[in-house]
Amino acid sequence: MADNVKLEFGGKASEYPVLSGTTGPDVIDIRKLYAATGAFTYDPGFTSTASCQSALTYIDGDEGILLHRGYPIDQLAEQSSFMEVSYLLLNGELPSAKELESFTYTISRHTMLHEQLATFYRGFRRDAHPMAIMCGVVGALSAFYHDSTDINDPKQRMIASHRLIAKMPTIAAMAYKYSVGQPFLYPRNDLSYTANFLRMTFGVPAEEYEVDPVIESAMDKIFILHADHEQNASTSTVRLAGSSGANPFACIAAGIACLWGPAHGGANEAALNMLREIGTPDRIPEYIARAKNKDDPFRLMGFGHRVYKNFDPRAKVLGKAATEVLDKLGISDPVLDTARELERIALSDQYFIDKKLYPNVDFYSGVILSAIGFPTTMFTVLFALARTVGWVAQWNEMISDPEQKIGRPRQLYTGPAMRDYVPVAKR
Ligand code: CMC
């Protein structure tokens, strides 16, 4: 462990311990800073702030490394299943065959929604964005499952977590069905987590839906790649909401709201819309020029990341998977050619090299999701479905951490200093 950090401020000296994790940068423990100096730290956007301790996910942005409980994401994506990764994130270790079977069984027994929840959908316009429906319906779960909301009881926390992981595919599929005017399909517990979701989304009551193993495997991989990502904006939102002791279902709804933004999970929808707008590789230079123009708010969607400054390991897996899936499905989509060419041109452009901007997870996922048959508005919903496991695992970890307090940042106040009220007649 490094020596204490010594600080001299306002004529007073103070010292701060340095804490080391298992891997990654040390952190300076400044919890006593305000008491010792009367000053706060200033870090808008939290670029240098560790908001908590966590044993779930590790990212090395310079090396392009992403580990869940120590396991590299590419190994998990290639060799495991979303149920295995969910168990790993929630429980800390990979499950034995028996544990996996029991976990999968438990999740499958929570897939149904309270029947009354179906009426919530009818309150939305048919053209509502499915993320708007997700925010509403997931928030509404808090009014239905009162027996799993004592957050101080680890068993109830786990039941709430299982319910959220299990019900998310049902809620997401219903959001899709509502938008296309088709009847909702009830879950089928004999299918895998991912196959059940695909059937509820693309099946119709009039005929049997055959789940294509190529699509099932691609979908499962996409779920794994989105399962967790350290203290990103939506996860921090879930933690902050949960830090007040709020209802777990409401906390996840808060995470969904944050994920929706185009700088976060909404980027997958924006990236595919952008690729379609570009249309053909010959128009790429025009868009590269716009991305580089300071006076133009346009950004290359699916490019850049707060933490990854070398490459996003999830984008590598997805770029490969996009080609495989389209090949196996026999689909030739010009959007994939545009994506590949855009990646090639951007990665050889000095602006993107200097700013260390690489394709992120959202760059190729849309190409696959579109090939599977999802409309772009569903892309972020799928991200939310998969990230739910990360959110609940992080929420559980936070609640059981004795050091965690209610999240309450301070500020650098720049408004008027105290002044006297002037009656309206004298203003
Ligand atoms: N296209 C063009 N320029 C960019 C881009 C981009 N996609 N991303 C960053 N820059 C530039 C930016 O203009 C800035 O330039 P300057 O230093 O001259 O002002 C510099 O790079 C640093 O950008 P920043 O906004 O300060 O960086 P950040 O860490 O705050 O933002 C980001 C990270 C992901 C929000 C940003 O790269 C971005 O908006 N990307 C496009 C949206 C996107 O793909 N989001 C998905 C992120 S990964 C999945 C997820 O989180 O859900």
Side-chain angles (χ1 to χ4, degrees), residues 60-117:
D60 182 330
D62 293 325
E63 296 298 324
I65 290 171
L66 167 59
L67 311 174
H68 291 318
R69 304 278 193 191
Y71 296 103
I73 189 65
D74 48 327
Q75 291 182 23
L76 293 172
E78 296 299 339
Q79 298 172 48
S80 76
S81 67
F82 182 64
M83 278 296 94
E84 250 188 290
V85 173
S86 300
Y87 183 99
L88 173 70
L89 286 167
L90 273 178
N91 299 291
E93 294 297 336
L94 284 169
S96 66
K98 218 170 147 218
E99 285 165 338
L100 180 59
E101 194 191 327
S102 149
F103 178 72
T104 308
Y105 179 86
T106 304
I107 296 296
S108 74
R109 262 57 194 175
H110 281 296
T111 50
M112 289 213 303
L113 280 190
H114 190 293
E115 196 60 19
Q116 220 173 319
L117 269 163

CSV table of all heavy atoms in Angstrom, one decimal, residues 60-117:
chain,number,residue,atom,x,y,z
A,60,ASP,N,-10.0,-2.2,-17.4
A,60,ASP,CA,-8.7,-1.5,-17.7
A,60,ASP,C,-8.9,-0.9,-19.1
A,60,ASP,O,-8.8,-1.5,-20.1
A,60,ASP,CB,-7.5,-2.5,-17.7
A,60,ASP,CG,-6.2,-1.7,-17.9
A,60,ASP,OD1,-6.2,-0.7,-18.6
A,60,ASP,OD2,-5.2,-2.2,-17.4
A,61,GLY,N,-9.2,0.4,-19.0
A,61,GLY,CA,-9.5,1.1,-20.3
A,61,GLY,C,-8.4,1.2,-21.3
A,61,GLY,O,-8.6,1.3,-22.5
A,62,ASP,N,-7.2,1.3,-20.7
A,62,ASP,CA,-6.0,1.4,-21.6
A,62,ASP,C,-5.7,0.1,-22.3
A,62,ASP,O,-5.3,0.1,-23.5
A,62,ASP,CB,-4.8,1.9,-20.8
A,62,ASP,CG,-5.0,3.3,-20.3
A,62,ASP,OD1,-5.6,4.1,-21.0
A,62,ASP,OD2,-4.5,3.6,-19.2
A,63,GLU,N,-5.9,-1.0,-21.6
A,63,GLU,CA,-5.6,-2.3,-22.2
A,63,GLU,C,-6.8,-2.9,-22.9
A,63,GLU,O,-6.7,-4.0,-23.5
A,63,GLU,CB,-5.1,-3.3,-21.1
A,63,GLU,CG,-3.8,-2.8,-20.5
A,63,GLU,CD,-2.6,-2.8,-21.5
A,63,GLU,OE1,-2.6,-3.6,-22.4
A,63,GLU,OE2,-1.8,-1.8,-21.4
A,64,GLY,N,-8.0,-2.3,-22.7
A,64,GLY,CA,-9.2,-2.9,-23.3
A,64,GLY,C,-9.6,-4.2,-22.6
A,64,GLY,O,-10.0,-5.2,-23.3
A,65,ILE,N,-9.5,-4.2,-21.3
A,65,ILE,CA,-9.8,-5.4,-20.5
A,65,ILE,C,-11.1,-5.2,-19.7
A,65,ILE,O,-11.3,-4.1,-19.1
A,65,ILE,CB,-8.7,-5.7,-19.5
A,65,ILE,CG1,-7.4,-6.2,-20.3
A,65,ILE,CG2,-9.1,-6.8,-18.5
A,65,ILE,CD1,-6.2,-6.3,-19.4
A,66,LEU,N,-12.0,-6.2,-19.8
A,66,LEU,CA,-13.2,-6.2,-19.0
A,66,LEU,C,-13.4,-7.5,-18.4
A,66,LEU,O,-13.4,-8.6,-19.1
A,66,LEU,CB,-14.4,-5.9,-20.0
A,66,LEU,CG,-15.8,-6.1,-19.4
A,66,LEU,CD1,-16.1,-5.3,-18.2
A,66,LEU,CD2,-16.9,-5.9,-20.5
A,67,LEU,N,-13.4,-7.5,-17.0
A,67,LEU,CA,-13.5,-8.8,-16.3
A,67,LEU,C,-14.8,-8.8,-15.4
A,67,LEU,O,-15.1,-7.8,-14.8
A,67,LEU,CB,-12.3,-9.0,-15.4
A,67,LEU,CG,-10.9,-8.8,-15.9
A,67,LEU,CD1,-9.9,-8.9,-14.8
A,67,LEU,CD2,-10.6,-9.8,-17.0
A,68,HIS,N,-15.5,-9.9,-15.4
A,68,HIS,CA,-16.6,-10.1,-14.5
A,68,HIS,C,-16.2,-11.1,-13.4
A,68,HIS,O,-15.9,-12.2,-13.8
A,68,HIS,CB,-17.9,-10.6,-15.2
A,68,HIS,CG,-18.5,-9.5,-16.1
A,68,HIS,ND1,-18.6,-8.2,-15.7
A,68,HIS,CD2,-19.1,-9.6,-17.3
A,68,HIS,CE1,-19.2,-7.5,-16.7
A,68,HIS,NE2,-19.5,-8.4,-17.7
A,69,ARG,N,-16.1,-10.6,-12.2
A,69,ARG,CA,-15.6,-11.5,-11.1
A,69,ARG,C,-14.3,-12.2,-11.5
A,69,ARG,O,-14.0,-13.3,-11.2
A,69,ARG,CB,-16.6,-12.6,-10.8
A,69,ARG,CG,-18.0,-12.0,-10.4
A,69,ARG,CD,-18.0,-11.6,-8.9
A,69,ARG,NE,-19.4,-11.4,-8.5
A,69,ARG,CZ,-19.7,-10.8,-7.3
A,69,ARG,NH1,-18.7,-10.4,-6.5
A,69,ARG,NH2,-20.9,-10.6,-6.9
A,70,GLY,N,-13.5,-11.4,-12.3
A,70,GLY,CA,-12.1,-11.9,-12.7
A,70,GLY,C,-12.1,-12.6,-14.1
A,70,GLY,O,-11.1,-12.8,-14.6
A,71,TYR,N,-13.3,-13.0,-14.6
A,71,TYR,CA,-13.3,-13.7,-15.9
A,71,TYR,C,-13.4,-12.8,-17.1
A,71,TYR,O,-14.3,-11.9,-17.1
A,71,TYR,CB,-14.5,-14.7,-15.9
A,71,TYR,CG,-14.4,-15.8,-14.9
A,71,TYR,CD1,-15.2,-15.7,-13.7
A,71,TYR,CD2,-13.5,-16.9,-15.0
A,71,TYR,CE1,-15.1,-16.7,-12.8
A,71,TYR,CE2,-13.5,-17.9,-14.1
A,71,TYR,CZ,-14.3,-17.8,-12.9
A,71,TYR,OH,-14.2,-18.7,-12.0
A,72,PRO,N,-12.5,-12.9,-18.1
A,72,PRO,CA,-12.5,-12.0,-19.2
A,72,PRO,C,-13.8,-12.1,-20.0
A,72,PRO,O,-14.3,-13.2,-20.2
A,72,PRO,CB,-11.3,-12.5,-20.1
A,72,PRO,CG,-10.4,-13.3,-19.2
A,72,PRO,CD,-11.3,-13.9,-18.1
A,73,ILE,N,-14.3,-11.0,-20.5
A,73,ILE,CA,-15.6,-10.9,-21.2
A,73,ILE,C,-15.6,-11.8,-22.4
A,73,ILE,O,-16.6,-12.4,-22.8
A,73,ILE,CB,-16.0,-9.5,-21.5
A,73,ILE,CG1,-17.4,-9.4,-22.0
A,73,ILE,CG2,-15.1,-8.8,-22.4
A,73,ILE,CD1,-18.5,-9.8,-21.0
A,74,ASP,N,-14.4,-11.8,-23.2
A,74,ASP,CA,-14.5,-12.6,-24.4
A,74,ASP,C,-14.6,-14.1,-24.1
A,74,ASP,O,-15.3,-14.8,-24.8
A,74,ASP,CB,-13.2,-12.3,-25.3
A,74,ASP,CG,-11.9,-12.4,-24.5
A,74,ASP,OD1,-12.0,-12.1,-23.3
A,74,ASP,OD2,-10.9,-12.8,-25.0
A,75,GLN,N,-14.0,-14.6,-23.0
A,75,GLN,CA,-14.2,-16.0,-22.6
A,75,GLN,C,-15.6,-16.3,-22.2
A,75,GLN,O,-16.2,-17.3,-22.6
A,75,GLN,CB,-13.3,-16.4,-21.5
A,75,GLN,CG,-11.8,-16.4,-21.9
A,75,GLN,CD,-10.9,-16.8,-20.7
A,75,GLN,OE1,-11.3,-17.5,-19.8
A,75,GLN,NE2,-9.6,-16.4,-20.8
A,76,LEU,N,-16.2,-15.4,-21.5
A,76,LEU,CA,-17.6,-15.6,-21.1
A,76,LEU,C,-18.5,-15.5,-22.3
A,76,LEU,O,-19.4,-16.4,-22.4
A,76,LEU,CB,-18.0,-14.5,-20.1
A,76,LEU,CG,-17.3,-14.5,-18.7
A,76,LEU,CD1,-17.7,-13.3,-17.9
A,76,LEU,CD2,-17.7,-15.8,-17.9
A,77,ALA,N,-18.3,-14.6,-23.2
A,77,ALA,CA,-19.2,-14.5,-24.4
A,77,ALA,C,-19.1,-15.7,-25.3
A,77,ALA,O,-20.1,-16.1,-25.8
A,77,ALA,CB,-18.8,-13.2,-25.2
A,78,GLU,N,-17.8,-16.2,-25.4
A,78,GLU,CA,-17.7,-17.4,-26.3
A,78,GLU,C,-18.1,-18.7,-25.6
A,78,GLU,O,-18.6,-19.6,-26.3
A,78,GLU,CB,-16.2,-17.5,-26.7
A,78,GLU,CG,-15.6,-16.4,-27.5
A,78,GLU,CD,-16.3,-16.1,-28.8
A,78,GLU,OE1,-17.0,-17.1,-29.3
A,78,GLU,OE2,-16.2,-15.0,-29.4
A,79,GLN,N,-17.9,-18.8,-24.3
A,79,GLN,CA,-18.1,-20.2,-23.7
A,79,GLN,C,-19.2,-20.3,-22.7
A,79,GLN,O,-19.6,-21.5,-22.4
A,79,GLN,CB,-16.8,-20.5,-23.0
A,79,GLN,CG,-15.6,-20.6,-23.9
A,79,GLN,CD,-14.3,-20.8,-23.2
A,79,GLN,OE1,-14.2,-21.6,-22.3
A,79,GLN,NE2,-13.3,-20.0,-23.5
A,80,SER,N,-19.8,-19.2,-22.2
A,80,SER,CA,-20.8,-19.4,-21.1
A,80,SER,C,-22.1,-19.0,-21.7
A,80,SER,O,-22.3,-18.9,-22.9
A,80,SER,CB,-20.4,-18.6,-19.9
A,80,SER,OG,-20.7,-17.3,-20.1
A,81,SER,N,-23.1,-18.9,-20.8
A,81,SER,CA,-24.5,-18.5,-21.2
A,81,SER,C,-24.9,-17.3,-20.3
A,81,SER,O,-24.2,-17.1,-19.3
A,81,SER,CB,-25.4,-19.7,-20.9
A,81,SER,OG,-25.6,-19.9,-19.6
A,82,PHE,N,-25.9,-16.6,-20.7
A,82,PHE,CA,-26.4,-15.5,-20.0
A,82,PHE,C,-26.8,-15.9,-18.6
A,82,PHE,O,-26.5,-15.2,-17.6
A,82,PHE,CB,-27.5,-14.7,-20.7
A,82,PHE,CG,-27.9,-13.5,-20.0
A,82,PHE,CD1,-27.1,-12.4,-19.8
A,82,PHE,CD2,-29.2,-13.4,-19.5
A,82,PHE,CE1,-27.5,-11.3,-19.1
A,82,PHE,CE2,-29.7,-12.3,-18.8
A,82,PHE,CZ,-28.8,-11.2,-18.6
A,83,MET,N,-27.4,-17.1,-18.4
A,83,MET,CA,-27.8,-17.5,-17.1
A,83,MET,C,-26.6,-17.7,-16.2
A,83,MET,O,-26.6,-17.4,-15.0
A,83,MET,CB,-28.6,-18.8,-17.2
A,83,MET,CG,-30.1,-18.6,-17.5
A,83,MET,SD,-31.0,-17.7,-16.2
A,83,MET,CE,-31.0,-16.0,-16.8
A,84,GLU,N,-25.5,-18.3,-16.8
A,84,GLU,CA,-24.3,-18.5,-16.0
A,84,GLU,C,-23.7,-17.2,-15.5
A,84,GLU,O,-23.3,-17.1,-14.4
A,84,GLU,CB,-23.3,-19.2,-16.9
A,84,GLU,CG,-23.0,-20.7,-16.5
A,84,GLU,CD,-21.8,-21.2,-17.4
A,84,GLU,OE1,-22.0,-21.4,-18.6
A,84,GLU,OE2,-20.8,-21.5,-16.8
A,85,VAL,N,-23.6,-16.3,-16.5
A,85,VAL,CA,-23.0,-15.0,-16.2
A,85,VAL,C,-23.9,-14.2,-15.1
A,85,VAL,O,-23.4,-13.6,-14.2
A,85,VAL,CB,-22.9,-14.1,-17.4
A,85,VAL,CG1,-22.4,-12.7,-17.1
A,85,VAL,CG2,-21.9,-14.8,-18.4
A,86,SER,N,-25.2,-14.4,-15.2
A,86,SER,CA,-26.1,-13.8,-14.2
A,86,SER,C,-25.8,-14.4,-12.8
A,86,SER,O,-25.7,-13.6,-11.8
A,86,SER,CB,-27.6,-14.0,-14.6
A,86,SER,OG,-27.9,-13.5,-15.8
A,87,TYR,N,-25.7,-15.7,-12.8
A,87,TYR,CA,-25.4,-16.3,-11.5
A,87,TYR,C,-24.0,-15.8,-11.0
A,87,TYR,O,-23.9,-15.5,-9.8
A,87,TYR,CB,-25.3,-17.9,-11.7
A,87,TYR,CG,-25.1,-18.6,-10.4
A,87,TYR,CD1,-26.1,-19.2,-9.7
A,87,TYR,CD2,-23.8,-18.8,-9.9
A,87,TYR,CE1,-25.9,-19.9,-8.5
A,87,TYR,CE2,-23.6,-19.4,-8.7
A,87,TYR,CZ,-24.6,-20.0,-8.0
A,87,TYR,OH,-24.4,-20.7,-6.8
A,88,LEU,N,-23.1,-15.8,-11.9
A,88,LEU,CA,-21.7,-15.3,-11.5
A,88,LEU,C,-21.8,-13.9,-10.9
A,88,LEU,O,-21.2,-13.6,-9.8
A,88,LEU,CB,-20.8,-15.3,-12.7
A,88,LEU,CG,-19.4,-14.7,-12.6
A,88,LEU,CD1,-18.5,-15.6,-11.7
A,88,LEU,CD2,-18.8,-14.6,-14.0
A,89,LEU,N,-22.5,-13.0,-11.6
A,89,LEU,CA,-22.5,-11.6,-11.1
A,89,LEU,C,-23.2,-11.5,-9.7
A,89,LEU,O,-22.8,-10.8,-8.8
A,89,LEU,CB,-23.2,-10.7,-12.1
A,89,LEU,CG,-22.4,-10.4,-13.4
A,89,LEU,CD1,-23.2,-9.8,-14.4
A,89,LEU,CD2,-21.2,-9.5,-13.0
A,90,LEU,N,-24.3,-12.3,-9.6
A,90,LEU,CA,-25.1,-12.2,-8.4
A,90,LEU,C,-24.4,-12.9,-7.2
A,90,LEU,O,-24.4,-12.4,-6.1
A,90,LEU,CB,-26.4,-12.9,-8.6
A,90,LEU,CG,-27.6,-12.1,-9.1
A,90,LEU,CD1,-28.8,-13.0,-9.3
A,90,LEU,CD2,-27.9,-10.9,-8.2
A,91,ASN,N,-23.7,-14.0,-7.5
A,91,ASN,CA,-23.2,-14.9,-6.4
A,91,ASN,C,-21.7,-14.9,-6.2
A,91,ASN,O,-21.2,-15.4,-5.3
A,91,ASN,CB,-23.7,-16.3,-6.5
A,91,ASN,CG,-25.2,-16.4,-6.5
A,91,ASN,OD1,-25.8,-16.2,-5.5
A,91,ASN,ND2,-25.8,-16.6,-7.7
A,92,GLY,N,-21.0,-14.3,-7.2
A,92,GLY,CA,-19.5,-14.2,-7.0
A,92,GLY,C,-18.7,-15.3,-7.7
A,92,GLY,O,-17.5,-15.1,-7.9
A,93,GLU,N,-19.3,-16.5,-7.9
A,93,GLU,CA,-18.6,-17.6,-8.5
A,93,GLU,C,-19.4,-18.2,-9.6
A,93,GLU,O,-20.6,-18.1,-9.6
A,93,GLU,CB,-18.3,-18.7,-7.4
A,93,GLU,CG,-17.4,-18.3,-6.3
A,93,GLU,CD,-15.9,-18.0,-6.8
A,93,GLU,OE1,-15.5,-18.5,-7.9
A,93,GLU,OE2,-15.3,-17.3,-6.1
A,94,LEU,N,-18.7,-18.9,-10.5
A,94,LEU,CA,-19.4,-19.6,-11.6
A,94,LEU,C,-20.2,-20.8,-10.9
A,94,LEU,O,-19.7,-21.4,-10.0
A,94,LEU,CB,-18.5,-20.2,-12.6
A,94,LEU,CG,-17.9,-19.2,-13.6
A,94,LEU,CD1,-16.7,-19.8,-14.4
A,94,LEU,CD2,-18.9,-18.7,-14.6
A,95,PRO,N,-21.4,-21.1,-11.4
A,95,PRO,CA,-22.2,-22.1,-10.8
A,95,PRO,C,-21.7,-23.5,-11.1
A,95,PRO,O,-21.2,-23.7,-12.2
A,95,PRO,CB,-23.6,-21.9,-11.3
A,95,PRO,CG,-23.3,-21.2,-12.7
A,95,PRO,CD,-22.1,-20.4,-12.5
A,96,SER,N,-21.9,-24.5,-10.3
A,96,SER,CA,-21.7,-25.9,-10.6
A,96,SER,C,-22.9,-26.2,-11.5
A,96,SER,O,-23.9,-25.5,-11.6
A,96,SER,CB,-21.8,-26.8,-9.4
A,96,SER,OG,-23.1,-26.7,-8.8
A,97,ALA,N,-22.9,-27.4,-12.2
A,97,ALA,CA,-24.0,-27.8,-13.1
A,97,ALA,C,-25.3,-27.8,-12.3
A,97,ALA,O,-26.4,-27.3,-12.8
A,97,ALA,CB,-23.7,-29.2,-13.7
A,98,LYS,N,-25.3,-28.3,-11.1
A,98,LYS,CA,-26.5,-28.4,-10.2
A,98,LYS,C,-27.0,-27.0,-9.9
A,98,LYS,O,-28.2,-26.7,-9.9
A,98,LYS,CB,-26.2,-29.2,-9.0
A,98,LYS,CG,-27.3,-30.0,-8.6
A,98,LYS,CD,-26.9,-31.0,-7.5
A,98,LYS,CE,-28.2,-31.2,-6.6
A,98,LYS,NZ,-28.0,-31.3,-5.3
A,99,GLU,N,-26.0,-26.1,-9.5
A,99,GLU,CA,-26.4,-24.7,-9.1
A,99,GLU,C,-27.0,-24.0,-10.3
A,99,GLU,O,-28.0,-23.2,-10.2
A,99,GLU,CB,-25.2,-24.0,-8.6
A,99,GLU,CG,-24.8,-24.4,-7.2
A,99,GLU,CD,-23.4,-23.9,-6.8
A,99,GLU,OE1,-22.5,-23.7,-7.7
A,99,GLU,OE2,-23.1,-23.9,-5.6
A,100,LEU,N,-26.4,-24.2,-11.5
A,100,LEU,CA,-26.9,-23.6,-12.7
A,100,LEU,C,-28.4,-24.0,-13.0
A,100,LEU,O,-29.2,-23.2,-13.3
A,100,LEU,CB,-26.0,-23.8,-13.9
A,100,LEU,CG,-26.4,-23.2,-15.2
A,100,LEU,CD1,-26.5,-21.6,-15.0
A,100,LEU,CD2,-25.4,-23.5,-16.3
A,101,GLU,N,-28.6,-25.3,-12.8
A,101,GLU,CA,-29.9,-25.9,-13.1
A,101,GLU,C,-30.9,-25.3,-12.2
A,101,GLU,O,-32.0,-24.9,-12.6
A,101,GLU,CB,-29.8,-27.4,-12.9
A,101,GLU,CG,-31.0,-28.1,-13.5
A,101,GLU,CD,-31.1,-29.6,-13.1
A,101,GLU,OE1,-30.0,-30.2,-12.9
A,101,GLU,OE2,-32.2,-30.1,-12.9
A,102,SER,N,-30.5,-25.2,-10.9
A,102,SER,CA,-31.5,-24.7,-9.9
A,102,SER,C,-31.7,-23.2,-10.1
A,102,SER,O,-32.9,-22.7,-10.0
A,102,SER,CB,-30.9,-25.0,-8.5
A,102,SER,OG,-31.3,-24.1,-7.6
A,103,PHE,N,-30.7,-22.4,-10.5
A,103,PHE,CA,-30.8,-21.0,-10.7
A,103,PHE,C,-31.8,-20.8,-11.9
A,103,PHE,O,-32.7,-20.0,-11.9
A,103,PHE,CB,-29.5,-20.4,-10.9
A,103,PHE,CG,-29.5,-18.9,-11.2
A,103,PHE,CD1,-29.8,-18.0,-10.2
A,103,PHE,CD2,-29.2,-18.4,-12.5
A,103,PHE,CE1,-29.8,-16.6,-10.5
A,103,PHE,CE2,-29.3,-17.1,-12.8
A,103,PHE,CZ,-29.6,-16.2,-11.8
A,104,THR,N,-31.5,-21.5,-13.0
A,104,THR,CA,-32.3,-21.4,-14.2
A,104,THR,C,-33.7,-21.7,-13.9
A,104,THR,O,-34.7,-21.0,-14.4
A,104,THR,CB,-31.7,-22.3,-15.3
A,104,THR,OG1,-30.3,-22.0,-15.4
A,104,THR,CG2,-32.4,-22.0,-16.6
A,105,TYR,N,-33.9,-22.8,-13.1
A,105,TYR,CA,-35.3,-23.2,-12.7
A,105,TYR,C,-36.0,-22.0,-12.0
A,105,TYR,O,-37.1,-21.6,-12.3
A,105,TYR,CB,-35.3,-24.4,-11.9
A,105,TYR,CG,-36.6,-24.9,-11.5
A,105,TYR,CD1,-37.4,-25.7,-12.3
A,105,TYR,CD2,-37.1,-24.5,-10.2
A,105,TYR,CE1,-38.7,-26.2,-11.9
A,105,TYR,CE2,-38.4,-24.9,-9.8
A,105,TYR,CZ,-39.1,-25.8,-10.6
A,105,TYR,OH,-40.4,-26.2,-10.2
A,106,THR,N,-35.3,-21.5,-11.0
A,106,THR,CA,-35.9,-20.4,-10.2
A,106,THR,C,-36.2,-19.2,-11.1
A,106,THR,O,-37.3,-18.7,-10.9
A,106,THR,CB,-34.8,-19.9,-9.1
A,106,THR,OG1,-34.4,-21.0,-8.4
A,106,THR,CG2,-35.4,-18.8,-8.2
A,107,ILE,N,-35.3,-18.8,-12.0
A,107,ILE,CA,-35.6,-17.7,-12.8
A,107,ILE,C,-36.9,-18.0,-13.7
A,107,ILE,O,-37.8,-17.1,-13.8
A,107,ILE,CB,-34.4,-17.3,-13.7
A,107,ILE,CG1,-33.2,-16.8,-12.9
A,107,ILE,CG2,-34.7,-16.2,-14.8
A,107,ILE,CD1,-33.4,-15.6,-12.1
A,108,SER,N,-36.9,-19.2,-14.2
A,108,SER,CA,-38.0,-19.5,-15.1
A,108,SER,C,-39.4,-19.5,-14.4
A,108,SER,O,-40.4,-19.3,-14.9
A,108,SER,CB,-37.8,-20.9,-15.8
A,108,SER,OG,-38.0,-21.9,-14.9
A,109,ARG,N,-39.3,-19.7,-13.0
A,109,ARG,CA,-40.6,-19.7,-12.3
A,109,ARG,C,-41.0,-18.3,-11.9
A,109,ARG,O,-42.0,-18.1,-11.1
A,109,ARG,CB,-40.4,-20.6,-11.0
A,109,ARG,CG,-41.0,-22.0,-11.2
A,109,ARG,CD,-40.4,-22.7,-12.4
A,109,ARG,NE,-41.1,-23.9,-12.8
A,109,ARG,CZ,-40.8,-24.6,-13.9
A,109,ARG,NH1,-39.8,-24.2,-14.7
A,109,ARG,NH2,-41.5,-25.6,-14.2
A,110,HIS,N,-40.3,-17.3,-12.3
A,110,HIS,CA,-40.7,-15.9,-12.0
A,110,HIS,C,-41.0,-15.1,-13.2
A,110,HIS,O,-41.1,-13.9,-13.2
A,110,HIS,CB,-39.6,-15.2,-11.2
A,110,HIS,CG,-39.5,-15.5,-9.7
A,110,HIS,ND1,-40.5,-15.3,-8.8
A,110,HIS,CD2,-38.5,-16.1,-9.0
A,110,HIS,CE1,-40.1,-15.7,-7.6
A,110,HIS,NE2,-38.9,-16.2,-7.7
A,111,THR,N,-41.1,-15.8,-14.4
A,111,THR,CA,-41.2,-15.0,-15.6
A,111,THR,C,-42.6,-14.4,-15.9
A,111,THR,O,-42.7,-13.4,-16.6
A,111,THR,CB,-40.9,-16.0,-16.8
A,111,THR,OG1,-41.7,-17.1,-16.7
A,111,THR,CG2,-39.5,-16.3,-16.9
A,112,MET,N,-43.6,-14.9,-15.2
A,112,MET,CA,-45.0,-14.3,-15.5
A,112,MET,C,-45.1,-13.0,-14.8
A,112,MET,O,-44.6,-12.7,-13.7
A,112,MET,CB,-46.1,-15.3,-15.0
A,112,MET,CG,-46.2,-16.5,-15.8
A,112,MET,SD,-47.8,-17.2,-15.9
A,112,MET,CE,-48.3,-17.5,-14.3
A,113,LEU,N,-46.0,-12.1,-15.4
A,113,LEU,CA,-46.3,-10.8,-14.8
A,113,LEU,C,-47.6,-10.9,-14.1
A,113,LEU,O,-48.5,-11.7,-14.6
A,113,LEU,CB,-46.4,-9.8,-15.9
A,113,LEU,CG,-45.1,-9.2,-16.4
A,113,LEU,CD1,-45.5,-8.0,-17.3
A,113,LEU,CD2,-44.2,-8.7,-15.3
A,114,HIS,N,-47.8,-10.2,-13.0
A,114,HIS,CA,-49.2,-10.0,-12.5
A,114,HIS,C,-50.1,-9.6,-13.6
A,114,HIS,O,-49.8,-8.7,-14.4
A,114,HIS,CB,-49.1,-9.0,-11.4
A,114,HIS,CG,-50.4,-8.9,-10.6
A,114,HIS,ND1,-51.6,-8.6,-11.1
A,114,HIS,CD2,-50.6,-9.3,-9.3
A,114,HIS,CE1,-52.5,-8.6,-10.1
A,114,HIS,NE2,-51.9,-9.1,-9.0
A,115,GLU,N,-51.2,-10.3,-13.7
A,115,GLU,CA,-52.1,-10.1,-14.9
A,115,GLU,C,-52.5,-8.7,-15.0
A,115,GLU,O,-52.7,-8.2,-16.1
A,115,GLU,CB,-53.3,-11.1,-14.7
A,115,GLU,CG,-54.2,-11.3,-16.0
A,115,GLU,CD,-53.4,-11.9,-17.1
A,115,GLU,OE1,-52.3,-12.5,-16.9
A,115,GLU,OE2,-53.9,-11.7,-18.3
A,116,GLN,N,-52.7,-8.0,-13.9
A,116,GLN,CA,-53.2,-6.6,-14.0
A,116,GLN,C,-52.1,-5.7,-14.6
A,116,GLN,O,-52.5,-4.6,-15.1
A,116,GLN,CB,-53.4,-6.1,-12.5
A,116,GLN,CG,-54.7,-5.3,-12.4
A,116,GLN,CD,-55.0,-5.0,-11.0
A,116,GLN,OE1,-54.8,-5.9,-10.1
A,116,GLN,NE2,-55.4,-3.8,-10.7
A,117,LEU,N,-50.9,-6.1,-14.6
A,117,LEU,CA,-49.9,-5.2,-15.2
A,117,LEU,C,-50.1,-5.1,-16.8
A,117,LEU,O,-49.7,-4.1,-17.3
A,117,LEU,CB,-48.5,-5.8,-15.0
A,117,LEU,CG,-47.8,-5.3,-13.7
A,117,LEU,CD1,-46.6,-6.2,-13.3
A,117,LEU,CD2,-47.3,-3.9,-13.9
